[in-house]
Amino acid sequence: MTSSLSALETDTTSPAVRLAREVEAHVRGSESLTSGDLFTLAARAYGGTLAQGVFTPRDAYDAAELGLHLHLLSTVGCLPPEASGVRDTLAEVERLSALLPSQTRRTAEQNDFQQFSTPAAYAGLCAWVSGVGKNDRVIEPSAGTGALCTFALASGATVHANELSGRRADLLAVLLAEAGQDPSQTLTRENADHLDAILPPSVRADMVLMNPPFSQTAGRLGRRRVPTVGTGHVLQALRRLDAGGRLVAVLSAGARRGKPTHRAFFEAVDANPFRLRADVEIGGAVYRPYGTSVRTRLLVVDRAPEDSPRRDSARVEAVVGTVGEAVDVLASAR
């Protein structure tokens, strides 16, 4: 590590935020961090070591993610509309993300609540295909440490973020405040299983960007896996999407049309007033730095304007290995 630790010594905010700010400084300087570096910084921020149980690997990883997101918030701006431009931008995001250590250590909480954040370049892809821009209203139902929120905020959108984990919601509050939003008004801490019933009626969306748990119920059914959890979250979020809006969701690749378990869901997202515009499976290498190699499915669902006759347009369907390849196949659906 080459950066000074003075920020940790003088900052009076929470340990997690002090750590995030230090990581932000490393990213800004294009300085890579090993796991050992990160845990050393965390020990200074928290006043004790990982071995002493003062913090967990998840505490350190989440703070590091926030540090990356804070840097991107201040630098990425509104993503270029054309595929060639956004491909270059997201390649730079991947370069910056690679400065952080791979998340090789899991905690029980991470496994039980499926806390696998959206990789930053993947989040940028989702924001780009949504077309989000200045003054749009965005909802992120399971916002984690704010990867999807970051690109929406950077584009000038207003974001309502929801996150059940108190630790992660505290980090989100920092991100929202950094973007000039009031977290007391734009952050909720609820279980997105029942998002539509919980959010204030005034919270509506032009865009929904989401990466829900794939099969866990946030403790409601213990450790039992339920394959329709992620799709259930999508259906909840669609109730908050206004006419003319678009939802972009990252789901497990196992949520596919041919499975009887998911048949009703796919029928719902392609029946009036909705249009399923894209269904793209993305290879597991995208998630490897975040401690898993899960294959995912990116879905794009539009809600037709009021009184609009149904005009079926070609649906984008593909299997790709990288974010860059996904840009190419999704360009026609943007």
Side-chain angles (χ1 to χ4, degrees):
M1 294 180 297
T2 59
S3 289
S4 167
L5 292 174
S6 60
L8 296 181
E9 295 164 353
T10 60
D11 197 331
T12 58
T13 56
S14 74
V17 176
R18 294 202 299 273
L19 176 56
R21 291 296 186 184
E22 187 69 14
V23 171
E24 180 187 9
H26 277 269
V27 174
R28 187 185 311 117
S30 289
E31 300 168 359
S32 62
L33 288 168
T34 66
S35 291
D37 293 337
L38 177 62
F39 294 146
T40 296
L41 290 173
R44 292 291 299 272
Y46 281 88
T49 67
L50 183 65
Q52 292 168 333
V54 176
F55 64 93
T56 69
R58 193 69 256 156
D59 292 325
Y61 293 146
D62 283 355
E65 290 176 16
L66 175 62
L68 173 65
H69 300 158
L70 287 168
H71 175 72
L72 294 174
L73 179 65
S74 67
T75 59
V76 73
C78 197
L79 292 170
E82 70 281 356
S84 59
V86 80
R87 198 184 307 108
D88 291 343
T89 299
L90 297 183
E92 173 62 8
V93 172
E94 288 182 324
R95 184 190 71 81
L96 294 171
S97 300
L99 297 172
L100 304 185
S102 295
Q103 299 183 11
T104 56
R105 303 193 191 190
R106 295 191 187 184
T107 63
E109 178 194 12
Q110 179 182 14
N111 289 329
D112 290 347
F113 289 82
Q114 292 187 329
Q115 293 174 340
F116 293 96
S117 301
T118 314
Y122 197 173
L125 169 71
C126 293
W128 175 73
V129 78
S130 78
V132 64
K134 190 173 178 60
N135 299 324
D136 282 329
R137 300 163 300 156
V138 175
I139 294 176
E140 216 294 36
S142 301
T145 62
L148 289 160
C149 296
T150 295
F151 289 91
L153 291 166
S155 73
T158 298
V159 175
H160 185 98
N162 180 73
E163 173 54 42
L164 180 61
S165 164
R167 183 192 67 258
R168 293 181 136 201
D170 288 345
L171 298 179
L172 273 172
V174 175
L175 182 70
L176 292 168
E178 190 85 354
Q181 294 195 181
D182 180 358
S184 69
Q185 301 298 314
T186 59
L187 174 63
T188 47
R189 301 168 183 246
E190 305 288 351
N191 187 341
D193 275 354
H194 306 289
L195 187 78
D196 182 51
I198 291 168
L199 289 184
S202 60
V203 179
R204 305 289 303 176
D206 303 303
M207 279 91 179
V208 174
L209 301 174
M210 62 188 301
N211 180 359
F214 291 168
S215 60
Q216 295 287 54
T217 60
R220 184 165 51 83
L221 297 177
R223 293 188 174 181
R224 175 186 167 195
R225 291 185 176 271
V226 181
T228 56
V229 165
T231 53
H233 280 221
V234 171
L235 294 176
Q236 283 285 308
L238 282 172
R239 297 179 182 180
R240 292 300 177 123
L241 185 66
D242 278 345
R246 169 166 284 193
L247 176 146
V248 181
V250 176
L251 297 173
S252 164
R256 60 179 184 269
R257 182 183 302 276
K259 277 191 175 181
T261 307
H262 300 297
R263 182 178 297 122
F265 167 75
F266 279 95
E267 290 174 353
V269 297
D270 203 24
N272 279 328
F274 302 114
R275 311 283 190 272
L276 179 60
R277 293 295 312 283
D279 178 346
V280 177
E281 184 175 328
I282 298 180
V286 171
Y287 257 93
R288 197 165 293 136
Y290 283 64
T292 183
S293 57
V294 62
R295 298 182 67 83
T296 56
R297 185 172 307 284
L298 189 151
L299 296 184
V300 178
V301 182
D302 288 346
R303 180 166 187 162
E306 299 290 350
D307 302 320
S308 172
R310 184 172 182 103
R311 295 187 180 91
D312 290 327
S313 53
R315 180 186 306 141
V316 174
E317 294 183 334
V319 178
V320 300
T322 68
V323 167
E325 291 171 3
V327 168
D328 293 334
V329 301
L330 286 165
S332 63
R334 185 183 184 275

